[in-house]
mmCIF file with all atom_site columns, all heavy atoms in Angstrom:
data_model
loop_
_atom_site.group_PDB
_atom_site.id
_atom_site.type_symbol
_atom_site.label_atom_id
_atom_site.label_alt_id
_atom_site.label_comp_id
_atom_site.label_asym_id
_atom_site.label_entity_id
_atom_site.label_seq_id
_atom_site.pdbx_PDB_ins_code
_atom_site.Cartn_x
_atom_site.Cartn_y
_atom_site.Cartn_z
_atom_site.occupancy
_atom_site.B_iso_or_equiv
_atom_site.pdbx_formal_charge
_atom_site.auth_seq_id
_atom_site.auth_comp_id
_atom_site.auth_asym_id
_atom_site.auth_atom_id
_atom_site.pdbx_PDB_model_num
ATOM 1   N N   . SER B 1 5   ? -7.375  -69.430 -1.575  1.00 0.00 ? 312 SER B N   1
ATOM 2   C CA  . SER B 1 5   ? -8.685  -69.555 -0.952  1.00 0.00 ? 312 SER B CA  1
ATOM 3   C C   . SER B 1 5   ? -9.384  -68.213 -0.950  1.00 0.00 ? 312 SER B C   1
ATOM 4   O O   . SER B 1 5   ? -8.767  -67.140 -0.989  1.00 0.00 ? 312 SER B O   1
ATOM 5   C CB  . SER B 1 5   ? -8.495  -70.042 0.497   1.00 0.00 ? 312 SER B CB  1
ATOM 6   O OG  . SER B 1 5   ? -7.665  -69.178 1.210   1.00 0.00 ? 312 SER B OG  1
ATOM 7   N N   . SER B 1 10  ? -16.208 -63.663 1.686   1.00 0.00 ? 317 SER B N   1
ATOM 8   C CA  . SER B 1 10  ? -16.713 -64.041 0.368   1.00 0.00 ? 317 SER B CA  1
ATOM 9   C C   . SER B 1 10  ? -17.511 -65.336 0.453   1.00 0.00 ? 317 SER B C   1
ATOM 10  O O   . SER B 1 10  ? -17.740 -65.963 -0.576  1.00 0.00 ? 317 SER B O   1
ATOM 11  C CB  . SER B 1 10  ? -15.556 -64.189 -0.610  1.00 0.00 ? 317 SER B CB  1
ATOM 12  O OG  . SER B 1 10  ? -14.751 -65.244 -0.221  1.00 0.00 ? 317 SER B OG  1
ATOM 13  N N   . GLU B 1 40  ? 12.256  -34.361 -16.605 1.00 0.00 ? 347 GLU B N   1
ATOM 14  C CA  . GLU B 1 40  ? 13.702  -33.987 -16.607 1.00 0.00 ? 347 GLU B CA  1
ATOM 15  C C   . GLU B 1 40  ? 13.993  -33.047 -17.759 1.00 0.00 ? 347 GLU B C   1
ATOM 16  O O   . GLU B 1 40  ? 14.775  -32.096 -17.623 1.00 0.00 ? 347 GLU B O   1
ATOM 17  C CB  . GLU B 1 40  ? 14.548  -35.209 -16.690 1.00 0.00 ? 347 GLU B CB  1
ATOM 18  C CG  . GLU B 1 40  ? 14.818  -35.961 -15.372 1.00 0.00 ? 347 GLU B CG  1
ATOM 19  C CD  . GLU B 1 40  ? 15.407  -35.054 -14.315 1.00 0.00 ? 347 GLU B CD  1
ATOM 20  O OE1 . GLU B 1 40  ? 16.352  -34.257 -14.610 1.00 0.00 ? 347 GLU B OE1 1
ATOM 21  O OE2 . GLU B 1 40  ? 14.906  -35.080 -13.152 1.00 0.00 ? 347 GLU B OE2 1
ATOM 22  N N   . SER B 1 52  ? 20.488  -18.684 -20.396 1.00 0.00 ? 359 SER B N   1
ATOM 23  C CA  . SER B 1 52  ? 20.550  -17.660 -21.475 1.00 0.00 ? 359 SER B CA  1
ATOM 24  C C   . SER B 1 52  ? 20.150  -16.289 -20.942 1.00 0.00 ? 359 SER B C   1
ATOM 25  O O   . SER B 1 52  ? 20.750  -15.303 -21.320 1.00 0.00 ? 359 SER B O   1
ATOM 26  C CB  . SER B 1 52  ? 19.687  -18.086 -22.644 1.00 0.00 ? 359 SER B CB  1
ATOM 27  O OG  . SER B 1 52  ? 18.322  -17.985 -22.300 1.00 0.00 ? 359 SER B OG  1
ATOM 28  N N   . LYS B 1 59  ? 26.081  -9.779  -19.964 1.00 0.00 ? 366 LYS B N   1
ATOM 29  C CA  . LYS B 1 59  ? 26.574  -8.987  -21.092 1.00 0.00 ? 366 LYS B CA  1
ATOM 30  C C   . LYS B 1 59  ? 26.136  -7.519  -20.903 1.00 0.00 ? 366 LYS B C   1
ATOM 31  O O   . LYS B 1 59  ? 26.903  -6.590  -21.087 1.00 0.00 ? 366 LYS B O   1
ATOM 32  C CB  . LYS B 1 59  ? 26.084  -9.543  -22.376 1.00 0.00 ? 366 LYS B CB  1
ATOM 33  C CG  . LYS B 1 59  ? 26.796  -8.978  -23.588 1.00 0.00 ? 366 LYS B CG  1
ATOM 34  C CD  . LYS B 1 59  ? 26.429  -9.737  -24.853 1.00 0.00 ? 366 LYS B CD  1
ATOM 35  C CE  . LYS B 1 59  ? 27.198  -9.083  -26.019 1.00 0.00 ? 366 LYS B CE  1
ATOM 36  N NZ  . LYS B 1 59  ? 26.902  -9.646  -27.288 1.00 0.00 ? 366 LYS B NZ  1
ATOM 37  N N   . GLN B 1 65  ? 25.751  1.658   -15.168 1.00 0.00 ? 372 GLN B N   1
ATOM 38  C CA  . GLN B 1 65  ? 26.446  2.759   -14.456 1.00 0.00 ? 372 GLN B CA  1
ATOM 39  C C   . GLN B 1 65  ? 26.635  2.343   -13.037 1.00 0.00 ? 372 GLN B C   1
ATOM 40  O O   . GLN B 1 65  ? 25.883  1.530   -12.493 1.00 0.00 ? 372 GLN B O   1
ATOM 41  C CB  . GLN B 1 65  ? 25.614  4.042   -14.575 1.00 0.00 ? 372 GLN B CB  1
ATOM 42  C CG  . GLN B 1 65  ? 24.240  3.985   -13.951 1.00 0.00 ? 372 GLN B CG  1
ATOM 43  C CD  . GLN B 1 65  ? 23.415  5.260   -14.195 1.00 0.00 ? 372 GLN B CD  1
ATOM 44  O OE1 . GLN B 1 65  ? 23.819  6.145   -14.960 1.00 0.00 ? 372 GLN B OE1 1
ATOM 45  N NE2 . GLN B 1 65  ? 22.315  5.373   -13.507 1.00 0.00 ? 372 GLN B NE2 1
ATOM 46  N N   . GLU B 1 73  ? 21.157  10.692  -9.166  1.00 0.00 ? 380 GLU B N   1
ATOM 47  C CA  . GLU B 1 73  ? 19.881  10.906  -9.846  1.00 0.00 ? 380 GLU B CA  1
ATOM 48  C C   . GLU B 1 73  ? 18.759  11.006  -8.832  1.00 0.00 ? 380 GLU B C   1
ATOM 49  O O   . GLU B 1 73  ? 17.867  11.867  -8.921  1.00 0.00 ? 380 GLU B O   1
ATOM 50  C CB  . GLU B 1 73  ? 19.577  9.749   -10.808 1.00 0.00 ? 380 GLU B CB  1
ATOM 51  C CG  . GLU B 1 73  ? 20.439  9.795   -12.066 1.00 0.00 ? 380 GLU B CG  1
ATOM 52  C CD  . GLU B 1 73  ? 20.244  8.568   -12.916 1.00 0.00 ? 380 GLU B CD  1
ATOM 53  O OE1 . GLU B 1 73  ? 19.402  7.685   -12.578 1.00 0.00 ? 380 GLU B OE1 1
ATOM 54  O OE2 . GLU B 1 73  ? 20.929  8.467   -13.963 1.00 0.00 ? 380 GLU B OE2 1
ATOM 55  N N   . ILE B 1 74  ? 18.787  10.122  -7.854  1.00 0.00 ? 381 ILE B N   1
ATOM 56  C CA  . ILE B 1 74  ? 17.748  10.163  -6.848  1.00 0.00 ? 381 ILE B CA  1
ATOM 57  C C   . ILE B 1 74  ? 17.812  11.431  -6.031  1.00 0.00 ? 381 ILE B C   1
ATOM 58  O O   . ILE B 1 74  ? 16.805  12.100  -5.757  1.00 0.00 ? 381 ILE B O   1
ATOM 59  C CB  . ILE B 1 74  ? 17.893  8.934   -5.864  1.00 0.00 ? 381 ILE B CB  1
ATOM 60  C CG1 . ILE B 1 74  ? 17.565  7.645   -6.642  1.00 0.00 ? 381 ILE B CG1 1
ATOM 61  C CG2 . ILE B 1 74  ? 17.028  9.060   -4.664  1.00 0.00 ? 381 ILE B CG2 1
ATOM 62  C CD1 . ILE B 1 74  ? 17.854  6.376   -5.889  1.00 0.00 ? 381 ILE B CD1 1
ATOM 63  N N   . LYS B 1 100 ? -4.339  21.808  3.803   1.00 0.00 ? 407 LYS B N   1
ATOM 64  C CA  . LYS B 1 100 ? -4.911  22.593  4.845   1.00 0.00 ? 407 LYS B CA  1
ATOM 65  C C   . LYS B 1 100 ? -6.374  22.173  5.061   1.00 0.00 ? 407 LYS B C   1
ATOM 66  O O   . LYS B 1 100 ? -6.852  22.068  6.155   1.00 0.00 ? 407 LYS B O   1
ATOM 67  C CB  . LYS B 1 100 ? -4.882  24.041  4.514   1.00 0.00 ? 407 LYS B CB  1
ATOM 68  C CG  . LYS B 1 100 ? -3.512  24.681  4.751   1.00 0.00 ? 407 LYS B CG  1
ATOM 69  C CD  . LYS B 1 100 ? -3.669  26.154  5.143   1.00 0.00 ? 407 LYS B CD  1
ATOM 70  C CE  . LYS B 1 100 ? -2.376  26.725  5.670   1.00 0.00 ? 407 LYS B CE  1
ATOM 71  N NZ  . LYS B 1 100 ? -1.415  27.054  4.616   1.00 0.00 ? 407 LYS B NZ  1
ATOM 72  N N   . CYS B 1 116 ? -5.317  22.161  15.510  1.00 0.00 ? 423 CYS B N   1
ATOM 73  C CA  . CYS B 1 116 ? -4.959  23.491  16.011  1.00 0.00 ? 423 CYS B CA  1
ATOM 74  C C   . CYS B 1 116 ? -3.772  24.129  15.261  1.00 0.00 ? 423 CYS B C   1
ATOM 75  O O   . CYS B 1 116 ? -3.824  25.288  14.997  1.00 0.00 ? 423 CYS B O   1
ATOM 76  C CB  . CYS B 1 116 ? -4.565  23.377  17.501  1.00 0.00 ? 423 CYS B CB  1
ATOM 77  S SG  . CYS B 1 116 ? -6.004  23.125  18.515  1.00 0.00 ? 423 CYS B SG  1
ATOM 78  N N   . ARG B 1 123 ? -6.748  33.350  8.788   1.00 0.00 ? 430 ARG B N   1
ATOM 79  C CA  . ARG B 1 123 ? -7.816  32.860  7.978   1.00 0.00 ? 430 ARG B CA  1
ATOM 80  C C   . ARG B 1 123 ? -8.642  31.809  8.690   1.00 0.00 ? 430 ARG B C   1
ATOM 81  O O   . ARG B 1 123 ? -9.803  31.617  8.526   1.00 0.00 ? 430 ARG B O   1
ATOM 82  C CB  . ARG B 1 123 ? -7.242  32.273  6.700   1.00 0.00 ? 430 ARG B CB  1
ATOM 83  C CG  . ARG B 1 123 ? -8.123  31.439  5.911   1.00 0.00 ? 430 ARG B CG  1
ATOM 84  C CD  . ARG B 1 123 ? -7.496  30.956  4.670   1.00 0.00 ? 430 ARG B CD  1
ATOM 85  N NE  . ARG B 1 123 ? -6.094  31.283  4.556   1.00 0.00 ? 430 ARG B NE  1
ATOM 86  C CZ  . ARG B 1 123 ? -5.355  30.887  3.531   1.00 0.00 ? 430 ARG B CZ  1
ATOM 87  N NH1 . ARG B 1 123 ? -5.863  30.243  2.581   1.00 0.00 ? 430 ARG B NH1 1
ATOM 88  N NH2 . ARG B 1 123 ? -4.105  31.221  3.457   1.00 0.00 ? 430 ARG B NH2 1
ATOM 89  N N   . SER B 1 129 ? -14.986 36.017  13.691  1.00 0.00 ? 436 SER B N   1
ATOM 90  C CA  . SER B 1 129 ? -14.718 37.453  13.782  1.00 0.00 ? 436 SER B CA  1
ATOM 91  C C   . SER B 1 129 ? -15.882 38.194  14.401  1.00 0.00 ? 436 SER B C   1
ATOM 92  O O   . SER B 1 129 ? -15.726 39.342  14.805  1.00 0.00 ? 436 SER B O   1
ATOM 93  C CB  . SER B 1 129 ? -14.392 38.031  12.404  1.00 0.00 ? 436 SER B CB  1
ATOM 94  O OG  . SER B 1 129 ? -15.482 37.750  11.550  1.00 0.00 ? 436 SER B OG  1
ATOM 95  N N   . HIS B 1 131 ? -17.384 37.663  17.112  1.00 0.00 ? 438 HIS B N   1
ATOM 96  C CA  . HIS B 1 131 ? -17.206 37.909  18.543  1.00 0.00 ? 438 HIS B CA  1
ATOM 97  C C   . HIS B 1 131 ? -15.760 37.950  18.950  1.00 0.00 ? 438 HIS B C   1
ATOM 98  O O   . HIS B 1 131 ? -15.420 37.930  20.116  1.00 0.00 ? 438 HIS B O   1
ATOM 99  C CB  . HIS B 1 131 ? -17.980 36.892  19.398  1.00 0.00 ? 438 HIS B CB  1
ATOM 100 C CG  . HIS B 1 131 ? -17.581 35.487  19.049  1.00 0.00 ? 438 HIS B CG  1
ATOM 101 N ND1 . HIS B 1 131 ? -18.062 34.836  17.963  1.00 0.00 ? 438 HIS B ND1 1
ATOM 102 C CD2 . HIS B 1 131 ? -16.717 34.617  19.662  1.00 0.00 ? 438 HIS B CD2 1
ATOM 103 C CE1 . HIS B 1 131 ? -17.516 33.632  17.913  1.00 0.00 ? 438 HIS B CE1 1
ATOM 104 N NE2 . HIS B 1 131 ? -16.702 33.457  18.906  1.00 0.00 ? 438 HIS B NE2 1
ATOM 105 N N   . SER B 1 133 ? -11.914 39.573  17.875  1.00 0.00 ? 440 SER B N   1
ATOM 106 C CA  . SER B 1 133 ? -11.130 40.331  16.899  1.00 0.00 ? 440 SER B CA  1
ATOM 107 C C   . SER B 1 133 ? -9.767  39.668  16.872  1.00 0.00 ? 440 SER B C   1
ATOM 108 O O   . SER B 1 133 ? -9.017  39.720  17.861  1.00 0.00 ? 440 SER B O   1
ATOM 109 C CB  . SER B 1 133 ? -11.044 41.767  17.356  1.00 0.00 ? 440 SER B CB  1
ATOM 110 O OG  . SER B 1 133 ? -10.585 41.824  18.692  1.00 0.00 ? 440 SER B OG  1
ATOM 111 N N   . CYS B 1 137 ? -3.716  34.011  15.045  1.00 0.00 ? 444 CYS B N   1
ATOM 112 C CA  . CYS B 1 137 ? -3.864  32.924  16.036  1.00 0.00 ? 444 CYS B CA  1
ATOM 113 C C   . CYS B 1 137 ? -2.477  32.487  16.465  1.00 0.00 ? 444 CYS B C   1
ATOM 114 O O   . CYS B 1 137 ? -1.566  32.517  15.698  1.00 0.00 ? 444 CYS B O   1
ATOM 115 C CB  . CYS B 1 137 ? -4.555  31.744  15.383  1.00 0.00 ? 444 CYS B CB  1
ATOM 116 S SG  . CYS B 1 137 ? -6.287  31.896  15.207  1.00 0.00 ? 444 CYS B SG  1
ATOM 117 N N   . GLN B 1 141 ? -2.229  24.102  21.694  1.00 0.00 ? 448 GLN B N   1
ATOM 118 C CA  . GLN B 1 141 ? -1.391  22.955  22.088  1.00 0.00 ? 448 GLN B CA  1
ATOM 119 C C   . GLN B 1 141 ? -2.114  21.634  21.874  1.00 0.00 ? 448 GLN B C   1
ATOM 120 O O   . GLN B 1 141 ? -1.492  20.617  21.582  1.00 0.00 ? 448 GLN B O   1
ATOM 121 C CB  . GLN B 1 141 ? -0.948  23.073  23.515  1.00 0.00 ? 448 GLN B CB  1
ATOM 122 C CG  . GLN B 1 141 ? 0.106   24.178  23.690  1.00 0.00 ? 448 GLN B CG  1
ATOM 123 C CD  . GLN B 1 141 ? 0.556   24.284  25.103  1.00 0.00 ? 448 GLN B CD  1
ATOM 124 O OE1 . GLN B 1 141 ? 0.064   23.585  25.975  1.00 0.00 ? 448 GLN B OE1 1
ATOM 125 N NE2 . GLN B 1 141 ? 1.480   25.194  25.361  1.00 0.00 ? 448 GLN B NE2 1
ATOM 126 N N   . LEU B 1 143 ? -4.450  19.182  20.038  1.00 0.00 ? 450 LEU B N   1
ATOM 127 C CA  . LEU B 1 143 ? -5.022  18.942  18.731  1.00 0.00 ? 450 LEU B CA  1
ATOM 128 C C   . LEU B 1 143 ? -6.505  18.713  18.834  1.00 0.00 ? 450 LEU B C   1
ATOM 129 O O   . LEU B 1 143 ? -6.977  18.034  19.738  1.00 0.00 ? 450 LEU B O   1
ATOM 130 C CB  . LEU B 1 143 ? -4.362  17.741  18.076  1.00 0.00 ? 450 LEU B CB  1
ATOM 131 C CG  . LEU B 1 143 ? -2.857  17.874  17.903  1.00 0.00 ? 450 LEU B CG  1
ATOM 132 C CD1 . LEU B 1 143 ? -2.330  16.615  17.268  1.00 0.00 ? 450 LEU B CD1 1
ATOM 133 C CD2 . LEU B 1 143 ? -2.505  19.084  17.051  1.00 0.00 ? 450 LEU B CD2 1
ATOM 134 N N   . CYS B 1 146 ? -8.939  22.816  19.384  1.00 0.00 ? 453 CYS B N   1
ATOM 135 C CA  . CYS B 1 146 ? -8.745  24.231  19.076  1.00 0.00 ? 453 CYS B CA  1
ATOM 136 C C   . CYS B 1 146 ? -10.060 24.945  19.078  1.00 0.00 ? 453 CYS B C   1
ATOM 137 O O   . CYS B 1 146 ? -11.054 24.553  18.507  1.00 0.00 ? 453 CYS B O   1
ATOM 138 C CB  . CYS B 1 146 ? -8.077  24.367  17.730  1.00 0.00 ? 453 CYS B CB  1
ATOM 139 S SG  . CYS B 1 146 ? -7.832  26.042  17.211  1.00 0.00 ? 453 CYS B SG  1
ATOM 140 N N   . CYS B 1 171 ? -10.636 22.817  26.786  1.00 0.00 ? 478 CYS B N   1
ATOM 141 C CA  . CYS B 1 171 ? -12.053 23.126  26.619  1.00 0.00 ? 478 CYS B CA  1
ATOM 142 C C   . CYS B 1 171 ? -12.471 22.853  25.201  1.00 0.00 ? 478 CYS B C   1
ATOM 143 O O   . CYS B 1 171 ? -11.849 23.325  24.260  1.00 0.00 ? 478 CYS B O   1
ATOM 144 C CB  . CYS B 1 171 ? -12.269 24.579  26.943  1.00 0.00 ? 478 CYS B CB  1
ATOM 145 S SG  . CYS B 1 171 ? -13.974 25.103  26.652  1.00 0.00 ? 478 CYS B SG  1
ATOM 146 N N   . CYS B 1 187 ? -18.571 27.788  29.044  1.00 0.00 ? 494 CYS B N   1
ATOM 147 C CA  . CYS B 1 187 ? -18.411 27.355  27.683  1.00 0.00 ? 494 CYS B CA  1
ATOM 148 C C   . CYS B 1 187 ? -18.047 25.892  27.635  1.00 0.00 ? 494 CYS B C   1
ATOM 149 O O   . CYS B 1 187 ? -18.388 25.223  26.651  1.00 0.00 ? 494 CYS B O   1
ATOM 150 C CB  . CYS B 1 187 ? -17.282 28.153  26.966  1.00 0.00 ? 494 CYS B CB  1
ATOM 151 S SG  . CYS B 1 187 ? -17.941 29.483  26.026  1.00 0.00 ? 494 CYS B SG  1
ATOM 152 N N   . CYS B 1 192 ? -22.693 25.815  23.023  1.00 0.00 ? 499 CYS B N   1
ATOM 153 C CA  . CYS B 1 192 ? -23.920 26.544  22.681  1.00 0.00 ? 499 CYS B CA  1
ATOM 154 C C   . CYS B 1 192 ? -23.896 27.035  21.254  1.00 0.00 ? 499 CYS B C   1
ATOM 155 O O   . CYS B 1 192 ? -22.872 27.497  20.765  1.00 0.00 ? 499 CYS B O   1
ATOM 156 C CB  . CYS B 1 192 ? -24.019 27.744  23.663  1.00 0.00 ? 499 CYS B CB  1
ATOM 157 S SG  . CYS B 1 192 ? -25.677 28.296  23.849  1.00 0.00 ? 499 CYS B SG  1
ATOM 158 N N   . CYS B 1 210 ? -28.785 25.290  25.604  1.00 0.00 ? 517 CYS B N   1
ATOM 159 C CA  . CYS B 1 210 ? -28.751 23.823  25.630  1.00 0.00 ? 517 CYS B CA  1
ATOM 160 C C   . CYS B 1 210 ? -27.584 23.428  26.536  1.00 0.00 ? 517 CYS B C   1
ATOM 161 O O   . CYS B 1 210 ? -26.414 23.624  26.191  1.00 0.00 ? 517 CYS B O   1
ATOM 162 C CB  . CYS B 1 210 ? -28.531 23.241  24.242  1.00 0.00 ? 517 CYS B CB  1
ATOM 163 S SG  . CYS B 1 210 ? -29.719 23.837  23.043  1.00 0.00 ? 517 CYS B SG  1
ATOM 164 N N   . ILE B 1 211 ? -27.916 22.824  27.613  1.00 0.00 ? 518 ILE B N   1
ATOM 165 C CA  . ILE B 1 211 ? -26.847 22.592  28.591  1.00 0.00 ? 518 ILE B CA  1
ATOM 166 C C   . ILE B 1 211 ? -26.003 21.378  28.230  1.00 0.00 ? 518 ILE B C   1
ATOM 167 O O   . ILE B 1 211 ? -24.814 21.369  28.310  1.00 0.00 ? 518 ILE B O   1
ATOM 168 C CB  . ILE B 1 211 ? -27.445 22.415  30.008  1.00 0.00 ? 518 ILE B CB  1
ATOM 169 C CG1 . ILE B 1 211 ? -28.067 23.746  30.424  1.00 0.00 ? 518 ILE B CG1 1
ATOM 170 C CG2 . ILE B 1 211 ? -26.371 22.004  31.007  1.00 0.00 ? 518 ILE B CG2 1
ATOM 171 C CD1 . ILE B 1 211 ? -28.849 23.660  31.744  1.00 0.00 ? 518 ILE B CD1 1
ATOM 172 N N   . TRP B 1 215 ? -25.835 19.233  20.111  1.00 0.00 ? 522 TRP B N   1
ATOM 173 C CA  . TRP B 1 215 ? -26.249 18.238  19.148  1.00 0.00 ? 522 TRP B CA  1
ATOM 174 C C   . TRP B 1 215 ? -27.646 17.763  19.476  1.00 0.00 ? 522 TRP B C   1
ATOM 175 O O   . TRP B 1 215 ? -28.283 17.116  18.672  1.00 0.00 ? 522 TRP B O   1
ATOM 176 C CB  . TRP B 1 215 ? -25.252 17.039  19.134  1.00 0.00 ? 522 TRP B CB  1
ATOM 177 C CG  . TRP B 1 215 ? -23.850 17.495  18.950  1.00 0.00 ? 522 TRP B CG  1
ATOM 178 C CD1 . TRP B 1 215 ? -22.819 17.347  19.811  1.00 0.00 ? 522 TRP B CD1 1
ATOM 179 C CD2 . TRP B 1 215 ? -23.307 18.229  17.832  1.00 0.00 ? 522 TRP B CD2 1
ATOM 180 N NE1 . TRP B 1 215 ? -21.686 17.916  19.341  1.00 0.00 ? 522 TRP B NE1 1
ATOM 181 C CE2 . TRP B 1 215 ? -21.940 18.466  18.144  1.00 0.00 ? 522 TRP B CE2 1
ATOM 182 C CE3 . TRP B 1 215 ? -23.829 18.705  16.657  1.00 0.00 ? 522 TRP B CE3 1
ATOM 183 C CZ2 . TRP B 1 215 ? -21.120 19.154  17.271  1.00 0.00 ? 522 TRP B CZ2 1
ATOM 184 C CZ3 . TRP B 1 215 ? -23.014 19.377  15.790  1.00 0.00 ? 522 TRP B CZ3 1
ATOM 185 C CH2 . TRP B 1 215 ? -21.650 19.586  16.094  1.00 0.00 ? 522 TRP B CH2 1
ATOM 186 N N   . CYS B 1 220 ? -34.869 18.588  23.864  1.00 0.00 ? 527 CYS B N   1
ATOM 187 C CA  . CYS B 1 220 ? -34.311 17.523  24.715  1.00 0.00 ? 527 CYS B CA  1
ATOM 188 C C   . CYS B 1 220 ? -33.435 18.074  25.782  1.00 0.00 ? 527 CYS B C   1
ATOM 189 O O   . CYS B 1 220 ? -32.835 17.316  26.559  1.00 0.00 ? 527 CYS B O   1
ATOM 190 C CB  . CYS B 1 220 ? -33.437 16.595  23.821  1.00 0.00 ? 527 CYS B CB  1
ATOM 191 S SG  . CYS B 1 220 ? -34.383 15.720  22.588  1.00 0.00 ? 527 CYS B SG  1
#
Side-chain angles (χ1 to χ4, degrees):
Chain B
S312 57
S317 65
E347 277 304 317
S359 70
K366 192 169 180 185
Q372 61 185 10
E380 287 173 2
I381 291 171
K407 280 211 169 78
C423 287
R430 165 179 5 180
S436 57
H438 55 280
S440 53
C444 282
Q448 288 181 358
L450 301 180
C453 178
C478 176
C494 263
C499 205
C517 305
I518 295 173
W522 308 117
C527 296

